[in-house]
Amino acid sequence: MNAELELISPNSDELRTANFAESDDSLGLIATILGRGRTSAAAQEAARRLLRYFGTATQLTPASFEEIRRCGKLSERQAATLRAALALGSRLCSAPLKTGQRFSNSRDLFQRYRARFFSASKEYFLSLHLNSKNQLIREVLISIGSLSTSIVHPREVFSPAVRDSTAALIFLHNHPSGDPSPSREDRDCTQRLSHAGKILGIRVLDHIVLGHEDYFSFADAGLLNESA
């Protein structure tokens, strides 16, 4: 659902300069993982190669095994170990709402769900079913799309919501590019779902687009009322 974007090269001078401080902090950690508990000169140099190319540990997280191996000039064992450590870190940072927990604000949801999609190469569209007290009933995966498209139909969204006697919904989906700017398709989808919710008497509280470093909230931007 994300339109084509002009992306900054991950090894651009601008990006390297802006993220130097974070890269410096991450260097020792990455070197320790690559050195299997030791920070050898070879491991530190490999860590520097990775951070020079990707910019930060955050931008390294969604990289594939082959990208990590090639850009760091690593052995297969080193690349697999680092990839596993990054994946574990993402899972530990992910703290999605649990049944009975209450929705507070869009930033809270971004912090809870962002790590789940760091390495996703496709768009995932989630629907959070809430009761009348804005407490989570359950989370429903509605659609898995392509690199830039997720097909969402109101029927697939509202059928399970009606079965759950849902009072309100929050939608979340990721942009694999990392840029949360809503596309035309995102806006059209939000309008269709908001309109359907209004007819069925189920409030659509927000539609949040998740990026790597930031997010976009239709509610915070004042666009939900226009859509409905």
Side-chain angles (χ1 to χ4, degrees), residues 16-34:
R16 285 201 303 267
T17 301
N19 295 317
F20 176 78
E22 182 182 341
S23 299
D24 191 52
D25 291 340
S26 302
L27 177 64
L29 293 173
I30 295 174
T32 299
I33 294 170
L34 296 179

Side-chain angles (χ1 to χ4, degrees), residues 18 24 33 66 68 93 105-106 108 118 135 150 160 163-164 172 179 187 190 207 216 221 223:
D24 191 52
I33 294 170
E66 184 56 33
I68 292 174
C93 289
N105 56 61
S106 59
D108 177 54
F118 266 146
Q135 295 171 320
S150 179
R163 288 197 299 271
D164 287 347
L172 303 101
D179 186 334
R187 295 173 184 271
T190 303
H207 180 184
F216 180 87
L223 297 178

